[in-house]
Amino acid sequence: MSRVNGHIPTETAASDDSTTHLVIGGGVAGVSCARRLISGNLSVELREVRKTPGGRMFAPHLHGRPVDLGASYFTARYRDFSDIVAYWVKRGVARPWTDTFDAYAPGRPAEVSAGPMRYAAPAGLQALVQDLAEGLPIALGAPVTHVGPGPTADGRRYRAVVLAMPDAAAAEILDESLTAERAAVTDITWDPVVAVAVGYRERCWPFANGTFVNDHPILSFVADDGARRGDSAPVLVAHSTVSYARSAAADPSTDPAGPMLAALADLGVTGTPDWIHTHLWPHARPAGGRGNDPTYHLGDAMIGLCGDSWGSPRIETAWSSGAALATALLDRG
C-alpha cells in the first residue's frame, strides 16, 4: 500500500478483499478507534472529509495563532484517557488550564464556578487529534457518500465500517437497508452553536479565564483564548445559546456576530474589536446524549457507530467510545 507523506491517497486505498476496517471520520473518536484497531494488528483505512484531522476540535489559524472555535477545553475523568492526557502534558502538547470560571447571569453579580481541571492545548485542541493520528493510514479530503448495504462504502466491501461522526451526518449516508443503524442515529437531537472569535488591541474584560453565561438570550460561554493558549493574546471566543444559533441558521443572510459582540458588553467587555471571525456549527453537540450504556453501536451488519453522543458530550467520551468500539471489533476478529 503506497503512502504520500504518511497518508494513503484515496485512489490507492484498501482493496476490496473484505479484510480492511474502514473508519470514516478523523475526529478524536475515529482516530481513537483506528489507532486501537491497528494496535491489534488489523488492517485499517481512515478517511476524513476535511484536509486535516480534528473534527469539532477545529482550531484555525487566525491572525497568526490558532484559535479554538469548537470545543473550549477537555477534562480527564476516564483512567485510560487520563494516561494519554498525562503523556500530552509531559510533552507540552496539552496543558492544565483552570478548574474555575466566572458565572454570569443578567441582573446578578458574577460568581465563581469551580469544577474539574480543564485542559487546553497551546497549538489548539485540533493538535491533540493530529498527535493521535500521527503515523495512521489516513486519507484526507476523502469523503464517503454512501454506506451499506452491509459493510460496504461507496460500493467497496470492507470487513467492517465505522462511522465516527455526528448522528445527523451518519444518517445522511447510511443505506435504507441498515434499519438498526439508522434507528440508532435518529433518537438523538443535535444542538447548533455559533462561535465568534474576537481579537482586541489589549485585554478589556474582567474575567480571568472564561465565564459561563446563564439565562442570557444570546451568549452561553466566553473563553479567554489567550489564557487558554497560554500566550496572553487579547482574544475572546464567544459561544452562543442554542436558540440563538437556531435563529441564525434559519436566516443565513444575516451576520450573527453583531448581536453577540453587543452582548459581550453585558459581561464587562469594553474594547473595540480589531478583527472578528464567525463559525456556525450546525451539529455542535448532542442534546443530552444516550447516557453511558451503550457507549457505541455494533450490529450484525458490521457497521459501527461511535462518538460523543454515546455518553456525556465530552472529548474524553468521544475518545472512549471510539476505543471501546475498536475493542469490540478486535473481539470479532
Side-chain angles (χ1 to χ4, degrees):
M1 185 178 294
S2 61
R3 300 191 181 195
V4 178
N5 295 327
H7 298 159
I8 299 177
T10 304
E11 66 270 15
T12 60
S15 60
D16 187 12
D17 60 3
S18 301
T19 63
T20 295
H21 292 69
L22 173 65
V23 179
I24 309 169
V28 67
V31 170
S32 171
C33 183
R35 181 161 291 283
R36 183 159 294 189
L37 289 171
I38 286 177
S39 71
N41 296 317
L42 294 182
S43 175
V44 174
E45 178 187 342
L46 176 60
R47 296 180 67 173
E48 164 58 33
V49 65
R50 291 180 175 151
K51 298 297 184 181
T52 182
R56 281 168 288 137
M57 294 164 71
F58 182 47
H61 274 71
L62 303 175
H63 298 266
R65 60 187 296 280
V67 179
D68 283 309
L69 292 182
S72 295
Y73 52 78
F74 65 97
T75 52
R77 295 174 171 86
Y78 304 147
R79 186 184 65 183
D80 288 353
F81 187 67
S82 295
D83 292 340
I84 291 177
V85 173
Y87 181 62
W88 280 334
V89 171
K90 182 178 180 180
R91 293 166 50 230
V93 180
R95 62 187 292 268
W97 178 22
T98 183
D99 60 359
T100 58
F101 290 118
D102 282 16
Y104 168 86
R108 299 200 298 268
E111 302 175 348
V112 174
S113 175
M117 175 56 66
R118 282 84 165 190
Y119 293 85
L125 293 177
Q126 189 171 5
L128 303 180
V129 185
Q130 293 169 340
D131 187 71
L132 283 176
E134 185 66 31
L136 293 181
I138 182 170
L140 300 172
V144 173
T145 60
H146 192 81
V147 172
T152 63
D154 290 343
R156 174 174 293 172
R157 189 165 186 83
Y158 293 88
R159 169 60 182 154
V161 177
V162 171
L163 286 78
M165 60 184 68
D167 293 355
E172 290 179 358
I173 63 174
L174 283 170
D175 190 82
E176 294 289 341
S177 66
L178 298 171
T179 54
E181 287 69 30
R182 291 186 63 84
V185 297
T186 56
D187 60 349
I188 296 293
T189 58
W190 286 71
D191 291 335
V193 168
V194 177
V196 177
V198 192
Y200 296 89
R201 196 169 302 276
E202 60 185 7
R203 291 175 56 86
C204 53
W205 49 88
F207 45 88
N209 291 293
T211 181
F212 295 114
V213 189
N214 302 310
D215 305 321
H216 196 282
I218 295 176
L219 299 177
S220 65
F221 181 72
V222 180
D224 182 330
D225 197 64
R228 175 168 58 186
R229 189 81 55 246
D231 63 1
S232 300
V235 176
L236 292 178
V237 178
H239 293 262
S240 76
T241 61
V242 172
S243 60
Y244 182 76
R246 291 193 193 285
S247 66
D251 186 7
S253 65
T254 62
D255 182 3
M260 292 180 67
L261 292 174
L264 288 175
D266 297 340
L267 310 181
V269 180
T270 59
T272 300
D274 278 359
W275 57 265
I276 301 165
H277 181 91
T278 305
H279 188 92
L280 170 64
W281 295 96
H283 306 117
R285 57 176 177 256
R290 297 174 172 86
N292 295 321
D293 188 24
T295 59
Y296 60 87
H297 170 87
L298 181 61
D300 294 338
M302 292 298 285
I303 303 293
L305 305 166
C306 62
D308 62 352
S309 67
W310 295 86
S312 56
R314 300 187 180 101
I315 288 172
E316 60 186 322
T317 298
W319 178 90
S320 179
S321 175
L325 174 54
T327 298
L329 287 167
L330 286 166
D331 289 342
R332 295 201 186 187

